Amino acid sequence: MSAFPSFLAICFFLMSLVITPSVSQAQSLIGSGIDYKEPKAYRIAGISVIGTKFSDVQAVKLFSGLQEGQEILIPGDQITDAIRKLWKQKLFNNISISVAEFRGSDVYLVISLEEMPRLARFFFKGIKKSEAENLREKLDLRTGQVANENLKSNAINIIKNYYVEKGFYNADIKINEYPDEILPNSVKLEFDIDHGNRVKIEHIHFTGVSPKQRKLLGVYSYESSSEKEVKRLKRKLKNTKEKKLTRIFKSSKFVEKEYIDDKNKVLAFYNKEGYRNAKILSDSVYRIDNDRIGITIHLEEDRKFYFRNISFAGNQKYRTSTLDSVLNINKGDVYDLELLNSRISYNPNGRDISSLYTDDGYLTFIAYPVETIIYPDSIDVEVRIDEGRQYRIGNVRVVGNTKTNDRVIYREIRTRPGDLFNRSDLMRTQRELIALGYFNQEAMDIQTNERPEEGLVDLTYVVEERPSDQIQLSGGFGGGRVVGSLGLSFTNFSMRNAFKKNAWTPLPSGDGQRFSINATSNGLFFQSYNLSFTEPWLGGKKPNSLTFSVVHSVQTNGQRKFIEGRTVNPNRQSLIITGANVNFGQRWQRPDDWFVFFAGISYQHFDLNRFGSFFSFSEGFSNNLAATATLERNSVSDPIYPTWGSKITLSTKATAPYTFIGQNVLGRTYDFVNMSDQERFDWVEYYKVKFTANWYTALNKHKTHKLVLHTSVGFGFLGSYNRDLGESPFERFYLGGVFLSGFLLDGREIVNLRGYDDLSLTRPSQRVGAPIITKYNAELRFPLSTNPQATIFALSFVEAGRTWVDFSDYNPFNLYRSAGVGLRIFLPMFGLLGFDYGWRLDDLDTQPNMARGQFHFSIGMNLGEL
């Protein structure tokens, strides 16, 4: 060993002795006769650790690198290295290694430690409670962590980044440390935060905007200093806005990440307009003062390009002319690479070349554009295609269904073994499985396993069961009373297992049948009981549904039926309705497979006991036997928060023309002049036609949270076969408010129009309702939560509607209008909760004191609509 390394070893060893807390140990070492010029080898016979309260002794030995039986030099580098390794753990304030005893060639070492304090708890000063809760989640500090400088520095950085994301660039964070009164060797940390003011963007300057750019932006002022030259360009900075007094909906805070994204949006805007080579040469963000910054962006536009010739290479299945028609880009069109790529694959607004191939079995199809020749102002593009081979579907499996029977899922699957692979069928199958309501939409997946040597692809549909049965609450407030409905809806019921004891876990389920029991009441004034059962696949081979339901309701003036035991109450007025209906449904394949058809028969018996609130007669009975037919096209993407698709429905309901048959077939005569209403409507006769259409359009298709425009129109007409008999008092339309959430209490059809009093738009002269109605609605919806277990969305609306007595007065543009805002909350166990505030935009002569704005509450989905 050379003299210089030995000298360094002695120095390091002496340094360790300086920090040794035990003087006696140092003296014994010094007096041990060691020659520091000639280090001697010793075997470690034992290692003791003192001063630890939280640290594990064996872990300390492991961190030091020293172990019993190891041979070391004293003095030597091993002791120094051991101290260095323990320091790196950042767990201790003081470390020393000393010799406890020498026994011949054996040495006993003592590692003396002073542990750093541990974190007992932490709290915040100077910020709101909500901010403190958010920071607690981000910091993720736990009791017992070592409160070293690294922990504190990391915490400060996390807090600063949190406020930087919110536009607070001048946040000042101080950490105050206090000893904890309860836990030994522990501290409390106080984060004293002053986030200061948000840094606002005072101005944004663009340079390099040429006259051509001005024309692109729709601006024709050539003054270089005018903000008009770049005002549209500034709009492309979606999240980076200048400070203005008139700016309400978007703040002018500066967030670097959003600024970088906005610069890319500016370039994307130019690229889309044909400026393929546009780029940002430089940009600067500079301080004006502590609370304000300025931004300067220097642009280079270069030339505008156009498509010249577009050719295809590698296509054998389809002719170039076919691909051209799908691509639909012509020579001379503005060069837009984004548009070109979308027309090649995954076009959100129509067909694309990729879907043309993948719907015909070409699972591995690949196509990409290549710029072949670049002219001064135009570009030739070649779309190079690798068609691959056609694949047929091999095995189809479903995994993850623990409750729903396989056959219920397989009957919804459109991809069958042996068929050519079809991507559209794959997506449609996924939609149909989601529409069942049995599975978690976010967990659903489709896995493919290609077998190229056989030309087969195996499909695995991965599902995850979710609660689909509901405790249904539905109702509302109207007519001065609250009507509530409580029901049990079993959407995945199994009637065939109902008599099997082992199937009640807790209910027989898995066959996809629907069984519901519902009770509606507001006390003595109204009670209704409903039971229904639906088999969606009658016979099990085709999607033909059969629904059977019975209903019994009682509406009174609030008087009990009996008084003083079993004595009939003479003051009781009532309307009792008993009914049943059977419906048959069928999915159609033509004109497309979004169509469904329903046909059914319904019967209602009305028993009136001096009940004259709504009808033209108050005493007697009436029978309503009608046939119904409904044709519907439903392509709505999701039943709770649809983002695309439409639902268009045409329905009819009609009774037999009893008086016409009596007069013209049976030869009967009727005295319509002297006939009472009870006699007129012994068997009520009418025909009813309704048309409704709903459209859903996502306004920001490429965003996760889609802003959706929902528009709808509805029309209803109730007609009579015999003018002398008159129109039916039942099945009429009532409009206004959110009355009883659209419950058909007594043969009426109640339609909501927010912002007005309940039923106020059905005039007093129409006390038996109106036979004609029209309603329009437009809603702008934004999702606050898309979680299937708690879907929440806010909305703003404008709507208009009106009822008429006669077609001679009908005017679909002379309507009562309203506007407002609302919130919808969907919970699987309770249904859809609605909160709306509507402002009426028109006055009613008959109700001059009606409030201008009204709050409405409802529970239920699509109730109160035509």
Side-chain angles (χ1 to χ4, degrees), residues 5 41 112 126 266 330 362 389 412 543 574 604 682 685 733 845:
S112 300
V266 171
N330 300 315
Y362 291 90
R389 66 174 299 175
E412 301 291 343
S574 64
Q604 289 176 304
D682 178 6
E685 57 181 81
F733 301 103
D845 296 335

Side-chain angles (χ1 to χ4, degrees), residues 451-465:
R451 291 186 277 162
E453 67 282 354
E454 302 174 65
L456 297 175
V457 56
D458 297 331
L459 303 178
T460 301
Y461 293 91
V462 181
V463 298
E464 179 184 286
E465 300 271 6

